[in-house]
Amino acid sequence: MASITPALAETLAVFQDVREPLSTNEVCDALDVGRRSTYDRLDRLHEAGRLRSKSVGASGRVWWTPRDDEARTADGATPDDRGRRTAGDDGERDTTDDRAVPPALDAAPVGVATFDADGRLADASDAFAAHLGLSGAVTHERVAAVPLFDDDGERLDDPVDEVWTAEDADDASRFRRLRVGRDQERWLGVSTDGLEGGGVVATTREITAQVDWELEVTNAYAAAELELDEFRTRAVDGFAAVDAGGYVVDVDERFAEVTAGGGTPPDALLDQHVDTAFDALPGARDVVTTCLASDEPASSDGPIAHDDRSLAIEAVPVEHGASVYVRDVTEQVERERDRKRYARLVDALGEPIYEMDAEGRFRFLNDAAIEAMGYSREELLGSHVSIGMDEAAVEAVEEQLAATRDADGDDRLRTEFAVEPKDGEPYPVESRLALLRDDDGRVTGSAGIVRDVSERRERERELERYERIVETVDDGIYVLDDADRFTLVNEAFAAMVDESKADLVGAAASDVLDDAFVDQAERVVAADGDPPDSGRFQETVRPASGESFVADVLVSAFDFDGGESGHVAVLRDVTERVERERKIANQRARLEALNAVNAIVRDVATAAVEGSTREHVETLVCEALAGASAYSFAWIGAVDPHDGTVSLRTEAGVEDYLSDVTISTDSTDERGDGPVGRAIREGTVQTVQDAAVDPRYDPWREHVERYGFRSSAAIPITYEGTLYGVLSVHANRRNAFTDEERAVIERIGEVVGHAFAAVDRKRALNSEEVVELDYRVDGLYERFSVDVDAEGSITFEETVRVDDDELLVYGSVGEDAVDALHALVPAFDAWTSVSVIGSTDDGEESRFELRTSEPPAFSHAAAEGGYIDRATIEDGDSRILVHVPPEADVRSMTEAVRSAYPGAELVAQRQVSRPTASMSRLQRAVADALTDRQRASLEAAYHAGFFEWPRDVTGGEVAASLGVSPPTFSQHIRLAERKVFDLLLDGDRVTENRSVGDGDR
């Protein structure tokens, strides 16, 4: 029969056709495997009942297969006598006496079935049916349908062909171990043998318990192997096993290497007798022989010398022989040899040396230690170390020893304490100790050497006093030799330059400090000072690593032993103090700047009220800014309408600043990307906090260096959307225009712009003569692509400013031009909406209100102190009348009109007189008395027809046009009416009313 596993089947096959028992060695030779492995296989077959065994001699054993009479069942019947059953064609039980399976076998635990030469079931016993889980009639088809699975759990495709019948009736018997049933929980052992004359007999046996046992044994064996491997690795250097006859049945590589020499494979020692295998190591052979003979553990009396090593051999009896262990104790032997040598050396040393046990009791002292303690050897040995130390010192040393014991590292330490001799005063000693451990790593005590350090302690105390002074101060201290190399530094200096003290000592000063600092220190030492060879200076220190800092430095010459010289320096970090002083200075400068700016604002406001000229205001502003300690110089420029460059109008604190530079307002020109150009284009304050590095000043880099300023601010001078110019302020400090100072400097532009506007208005109102500019635009509708009938007239009469960017324009339009008026709204970008609000007094035309943003021509006229007096469109052609002061720039005004109305032509320029003087004075008085809001409300209401009867518009409609609430409009209009009537009826009262403070109502 085949075996349970392939290895066991191979072993069982050795006994096929062998009638005599075989010894273990004979089976081993037949299998060509190790004796130990062979024995394990035979033993497992014996446990499974596949083999019989018997001891022979002292340690031998023979093996054989069971005979037929040993395989009888409990009732004594042999397989030839067992009963069988099968079903005929009708499925009934066949009880004839000539059955292939005798009825007596139905009660046997072994199942039997026969198959004919065609592979069909012939007969089967009850046990066979029960093993397959069948009840009732047993047919070929039912047997073939029983699911069978192999060891791997794979289901057999054709159980009859693969299990129940042999492929050739003359084949040797076969054995299979199979799982049966769909749950695969039961195991069957199936054997098949060919029958004479054809056919097969199959026997089955329930082996579920056996398989479970084998699995348990296999797991236990594997666990034992793992445990044994771990034991071998942890406890010994080599392992071998011999059987009871003294033959090697197992050996590991380390054992073979140690006992037979490097390179010897373990297989070379297998199956050899110990007399041969251990021939090179007679001591090991004797230990094994003794163990086998006495059945008691045996070991070598001492280390066995082998080659250049020392070995310890131990043999332990086991069930079938002995386990042999070898340990390499070369190191232990050498340590013992060293111990003896060091013992002799200790006796020769003059220093006190001692050894203590783990409890701190002396177990060895040399003569020098005895003498130092002042006690006899008998008094000291066995005594606790406290006999020569005070309690505090003992506790301190014990704590140090405990920390050393628990730490992962060296078992040595150095400590200091005071020795208290039997007679005499305590004195300080230094002790170097080492922990003593056994082979298991347990601390067994300590040993140490003691040295008197009284003189060294005194020197150290003196040095500590100086070091304490040097190290406890916050100031950095260093000493340089005559080669400018550091010989001493304290921790404070090391921290200042971001280096370690160890790295600094010996380093060149030029590798740590910048050359400027080193040179300055040397110059101070070399200069004649008081005291001589010393001095003080303040310098920014820029170390090679670490951050720069400002230091107050005291440096002095220093003489070394041996005649060499150098210098010592003390550095105090005053960065925070310098920064604090700088901040205070900046704050003071900023405060002065704020005061100066506020004073300028007041002066400009005063100048505007007093009726000063633009030139006076510009000069006042520039001189006030340049005279303030916070600023260096200031200038005001205007935009040249021809080329877009900035021309100088006024400057202070500097001469001809723009004489050799060009500043543009063109965004595509790099000279237009500076703060002045951007301020003009964007209408916002532009600041540069550090002109030395700001790329916006790259086109004028030499200019910056020549005039030496660090910060600048460009402030557009504007009022109600009109740009009058740009104010540029320069300071010799960085970050001059931030936060509050920027906000105040920005206010200057607004105040100056307001002053310019006030000056221009007063100039225009005070002048009895104005220049009237008459512009004509032919074919206005065609020029702006307005597709309407050109007939009819549109007149633009009055303009009311609602806010900085929005105007209301009032006029009249003929009935035939209303559509044209509405069609013009999308043609002009500035126009927002237009609405007809009523009729003229004669009823022939309609009045309209146009909402628009400020057109360029209007802005330019206002900037020149003038205004658009009247504009008309008659049958598609437009006329525009502009009144400006006599000194106004007519050319720039014309360019502004042409920019807004392409094709405009100046057809006339004439000097005209204003209305009568009394009317002019009244108009000026009204302009002075009313606030901007009151004037806008009054003019809007007047031109919208609010004062007509019946009214053309309601107060709510006027309020909506102005973007205010009706109550607010009513308040503005009442106050405005009262002031106008006061002026007409009692000119003195308006001053009183104005002084009450209408604000911006």
Side-chain angles (χ1 to χ4, degrees):
M1 291 183 295
S3 180
I4 297 172
T5 65
L8 295 182
E10 179 187 21
T11 305
L12 193 61
V14 174
F15 293 89
Q16 186 174 347
D17 300 328
V18 176
R19 301 303 180 189
E20 298 297 329
L22 300 176
S23 67
T24 303
N25 288 340
E26 289 173 332
V27 178
C28 179
D29 292 339
L31 293 175
D32 194 22
V33 298
R35 192 173 187 279
R36 180 63 175 267
S37 298
T38 301
Y39 186 89
D40 288 341
R41 295 185 186 183
L42 293 171
D43 192 48
R44 291 175 64 186
L45 289 170
H46 176 257
E47 293 289 343
R50 302 294 185 178
L51 293 177
R52 298 290 182 265
S53 179
K54 179 179 180 182
S55 297
V56 179
S59 61
R61 185 171 289 277
V62 294
W63 314 83
W64 70 93
T65 55
R67 299 189 304 275
D68 289 342
D69 58 352
E70 293 177 309
R72 292 182 181 274
T73 59
D75 59 0
T78 65
D80 294 337
D81 301 330
R82 291 172 183 162
R84 315 242 177 129
R85 73 172 183 177
T86 185
D89 295 335
D90 57 0
E92 295 298 328
R93 176 74 178 261
D94 185 359
T95 57
T96 59
D97 293 337
D98 58 351
R99 291 175 58 204
V101 179
L105 289 182
D106 284 337
V110 176
V112 180
T114 60
F115 294 82
D116 59 22
D118 295 329
R120 300 285 297 178
L121 178 67
D123 199 359
S125 69
D126 290 343
F128 182 87
H131 288 166
L132 268 63
L134 300 175
S135 60
V138 180
T139 65
H140 179 84
E141 287 71 17
R142 293 186 69 193
V143 171
V146 174
L148 299 179
F149 303 85
D150 61 16
D151 282 348
D152 296 328
E154 295 291 334
R155 181 170 179 171
L156 303 183
D157 295 331
D158 188 353
V160 174
D161 183 60
E162 296 182 55
V163 178
W164 304 123
T165 63
E167 295 180 0
D168 188 342
D170 295 331
D171 285 351
S173 62
R174 296 189 303 160
F175 177 80
R176 297 287 299 273
R177 190 171 72 172
L178 301 170
R179 297 179 183 182
V180 63
R182 297 189 181 278
D183 55 8
Q184 303 185 40
E185 293 182 355
R186 293 187 298 111
W187 288 83
L188 292 180
V190 180
S191 298
T192 57
D193 288 291
L195 297 175
E196 294 181 3
V200 175
V201 60
T203 60
T204 59
R205 185 160 56 92
E206 178 75 40
I207 62 170
T208 303
Q210 178 181 331
V211 172
D212 293 342
W213 173 82
E214 287 177 358
L215 180 60
E216 182 179 354
V217 170
T218 300
N219 292 338
Y221 182 79
E225 284 290 340
L226 290 175
E227 183 178 359
L228 181 58
D229 288 343
E230 182 179 358
F231 170 74
R232 293 171 179 172
T233 302
R234 182 181 68 251
V236 299
D237 294 312
F239 169 81
V242 298
D243 62 11
Y247 288 91
V248 178
V249 296
D250 193 10
V251 62
D252 63 11
E253 293 182 0
R254 181 61 176 156
F255 190 95
E257 178 184 352
V258 170
T259 58
T264 303
D267 292 344
L269 300 180
L270 290 176
D271 302 327
Q272 293 190 27
H273 196 273
V274 294
D275 292 340
T276 302
F278 299 164
D279 182 59
L281 200 62
R285 180 187 59 203
D286 297 341
V287 170
V288 175
T289 301
T290 301
C291 176
L292 291 176
S294 63
D295 201 25
E296 295 289 339
S299 60
S300 55
D301 295 334
I304 300 175
H306 181 65
D307 294 336
D308 57 347
R309 288 171 291 186
S310 298
L311 305 177
I313 307 297
E314 181 182 8
V316 180
V318 294
E319 182 177 357
H320 302 299
S323 296
V324 185
Y325 306 99
V326 60
R327 295 181 179 85
D328 190 337
V329 295
T330 304
E331 291 185 5
Q332 293 92 315
V333 172
E334 290 179 352
R335 281 200 301 269
E336 178 62 21
R337 187 181 302 116
D338 291 341
R339 188 191 67 79
K340 293 178 180 179
R341 183 171 64 254
Y342 286 127
R344 293 191 298 271
L345 180 62
V346 166
D347 291 336
L349 291 175
E351 301 285 355
I353 298 176
Y354 63 90
E355 181 181 331
M356 298 184 298
D357 62 17
E359 302 298 326
R361 293 180 174 82
F362 290 112
R363 58 190 182 194
F364 169 79
L365 298 99
N366 68 351
D367 294 340
I370 298 295
E371 181 180 354
M373 297 288 289
Y375 293 92
S376 67
R377 190 180 301 273
E378 290 73 17
E379 289 177 306
L380 290 174
L381 289 177
S383 296
H384 193 265
V385 67
S386 58
I387 192 174
M389 298 169 58
D390 64 22
E391 183 176 351
V394 172
E395 291 180 357
V397 174
E398 287 179 345
E399 289 178 0
Q400 291 176 314
L401 286 172
T404 303
R405 179 191 63 223
D406 297 337
D408 295 332
D410 198 351
D411 278 349
R412 291 173 293 185
L413 67 93
R414 178 185 297 181
T415 185
E416 294 187 5
F417 52 86
V419 170
E420 297 180 344
K422 185 176 182 180
D423 298 315
E425 295 296 325
Y427 60 91
V429 298
E430 177 190 76
S431 179
R432 299 184 180 184
L433 297 89
L435 294 177
L436 304 178
R437 297 180 184 269
D438 59 18
D439 293 340
D440 295 329
R442 291 188 295 269
V443 175
T444 61
S446 62
I449 183 170
V450 175
R451 181 173 291 114
D452 188 342
V453 294
S454 300
E455 294 183 2
R456 192 198 73 190
R457 276 288 186 88
E458 183 59 32
R459 292 194 303 272
E460 289 177 349
R461 278 194 292 270
E462 183 177 1
L463 179 61
E464 284 175 0
R465 284 194 293 271
Y466 293 113
E467 288 183 344
R468 191 178 304 113
I469 295 173
V470 172
E471 292 295 345
T472 55
V473 297
D474 294 332
D475 298 336
I477 300 176
Y478 71 80
V479 178
L480 292 181
D481 60 17
D482 56 358
D484 282 343
R485 292 187 176 275
F486 292 104
T487 61
L488 181 145
V489 297
N490 69 347
E491 288 290 352
F493 179 77
M496 286 179 174
V497 297
D498 197 21
E499 299 281 358
S500 67
K501 291 177 61 176
D503 290 338
L504 286 173
V505 175
S510 59
D511 292 338
V512 179
L513 303 171
D514 59 295
D515 294 338
F517 179 87
V518 176
D519 294 343
Q520 176 71 2
E522 292 178 350
R523 285 194 298 269
V524 171
V525 172
D528 294 333
D530 185 19
D533 301 330
S534 65
R536 183 185 296 273
F537 64 95
Q538 190 176 96
E539 184 71 29
T540 298
V541 182
R542 298 177 177 85
S545 59
E547 298 181 357
S548 299
F549 61 94
V550 180
D552 189 11
V553 185
L554 176 64
V555 61
S556 178
F558 184 82
D559 294 329
F560 294 91
D561 295 337
E564 297 180 355
S565 63
H567 72 261
V568 58
V570 180
L571 288 75
R572 176 166 296 174
D573 189 342
V574 294
T575 305
E576 292 185 359
R577 188 191 74 192
V578 171
E579 181 64 19
R580 187 165 57 252
E581 292 173 351
R582 186 189 66 78
K583 288 182 178 179
I584 292 174
N586 287 342
Q587 290 173 354
R588 185 180 298 111
R590 186 173 292 110
L591 180 60
E592 292 177 359
L594 295 177
N595 291 334
V597 171
N598 287 326
I600 291 170
V601 170
R602 290 194 301 270
D603 293 344
V604 169
T606 302
V609 171
E610 293 175 350
S612 301
T613 64
R614 278 198 195 181
E615 292 75 13
H616 174 71
V617 174
E618 290 175 350
T619 302
L620 184 150
V621 171
C622 290
E623 289 181 350
L625 289 171
S629 60
Y631 305 116
S632 301
F633 60 92
W635 56 271
I636 292 177
V639 180
D640 189 328
H642 300 289
D643 57 9
T645 60
V646 178
S647 59
L648 183 67
R649 283 214 305 249
T650 308
E651 62 182 355
V654 68
E655 292 184 6
D656 299 327
Y657 181 75
L658 297 182
S659 61
D660 55 352
V661 297
T662 299
I663 298 177
S664 174
T665 58
D666 186 356
S667 61
T668 62
D669 187 340
E670 66 172 356
R671 297 171 302 178
D673 198 38
V676 173
R678 294 173 67 93
I680 293 173
R681 287 197 309 274
E682 299 176 11
T684 58
V685 174
Q686 300 292 318
T687 61
V688 172
Q689 304 300 345
D690 192 348
V693 296
D694 196 303
R696 289 177 290 179
Y697 264 107
D698 285 346
W700 312 282
R701 185 60 56 201
E702 294 182 0
H703 215 55
V704 173
E705 296 174 357
R706 182 191 311 166
Y707 289 95
F709 62 89
R710 298 299 297 271
S711 303
S712 73
I715 307 103
I717 301 174
T718 61
Y719 180 71
E720 293 187 347
T722 300
L723 177 69
Y724 293 95
V726 61
L727 168 64
S728 185
V729 185
H730 301 255
N732 58 10
R733 55 193 169 95
R734 290 183 303 168
N735 302 313
F737 304 102
T738 58
D739 303 331
E740 185 179 1
E741 189 170 353
R742 175 192 171 104
V744 174
I745 205 77
E746 184 175 359
R747 187 179 168 209
I748 291 181
E750 300 172 358
V751 172
V752 174
H754 189 281
F756 284 178
V759 168
D760 290 344
R761 280 200 305 271
K762 286 182 179 294
R763 183 181 60 190
L765 291 173
N766 290 329
S767 175
E768 299 299 333
E769 298 292 330
V770 295
V771 175
E772 184 177 78
L773 303 178
D774 187 356
Y775 296 96
R776 182 178 64 200
V777 184
D778 293 335
L780 179 69
Y781 295 153
E782 291 81 357
R783 293 182 185 276
F784 286 89
S785 301
V786 178
D787 186 13
V788 294
D789 188 354
E791 293 183 358
S793 64
I794 303 173
T795 303
F796 302 89
E797 299 170 350
E798 296 293 337
T799 302
V800 179
R801 180 178 295 278
V802 179
D803 54 33
D804 289 344
D805 298 322
E806 190 173 23
L807 305 173
L808 293 178
V809 179
Y810 295 93
S812 59
V813 58
E815 294 301 324
D816 51 354
V818 172
D819 292 341
L821 176 64
H822 286 283
L824 285 172
V825 173
F828 291 98
D829 294 336
W831 289 21
T832 304
S833 62
V834 67
S835 57
V836 175
I837 58 176
S839 300
T840 59
D841 292 339
D842 56 13
E844 294 181 359
E845 294 183 323
S846 298
R847 296 191 58 78
F848 66 86
E849 178 185 80
L850 169 65
R851 185 176 295 274
T852 176
S853 59
E854 187 171 68
F858 186 93
S859 300
H860 198 86
E864 293 292 341
Y867 54 91
I868 297 177
D869 182 62
R870 188 180 184 85
T872 62
I873 301 175
E874 188 74 32
D875 296 333
D877 297 330
S878 176
R879 297 294 290 270
I880 303 172
L881 296 180
V882 180
H883 287 180
V884 295
E887 65 271 19
D889 187 347
V890 175
R891 184 174 62 179
S892 63
M893 185 69 237
T894 300
E895 290 181 353
V897 172
R898 287 174 177 169
S899 175
Y901 307 101
E905 180 183 359
L906 178 61
V907 296
Q909 177 178 338
R910 61 184 71 89
Q911 200 87 4
V912 298
S913 298
R914 287 182 179 275
T916 62
S918 59
M919 181 58 68
S920 298
R921 284 194 297 272
L922 178 61
Q923 290 175 343
R924 288 197 298 271
V926 170
D928 289 340
L930 300 183
T931 67
D932 292 341
R933 286 292 186 184
Q934 292 167 1
R935 184 173 63 252
S937 298
L938 186 61
E939 291 177 351
Y942 176 78
H943 295 295
F946 179 76
F947 297 109
E948 298 294 332
W949 186 258
R951 289 177 175 175
D952 294 335
V953 293
T954 66
E957 291 173 331
V958 178
S961 297
L962 293 171
V964 299
S965 66
T968 301
F969 167 73
S970 297
Q971 183 182 24
H972 289 333
I973 202 69
R974 285 198 305 272
L975 288 172
E977 288 173 343
R978 178 180 179 182
K979 289 179 180 180
V980 170
F981 284 113
D982 283 345
L983 287 170
L984 290 172
L985 302 176
D986 186 358
D988 294 334
R989 290 183 58 192
V990 70
T991 304
E992 297 174 4
N993 293 337
R994 179 68 174 181
S995 65
V996 172
D998 296 328
D1000 194 32
R1001 292 184 294 173

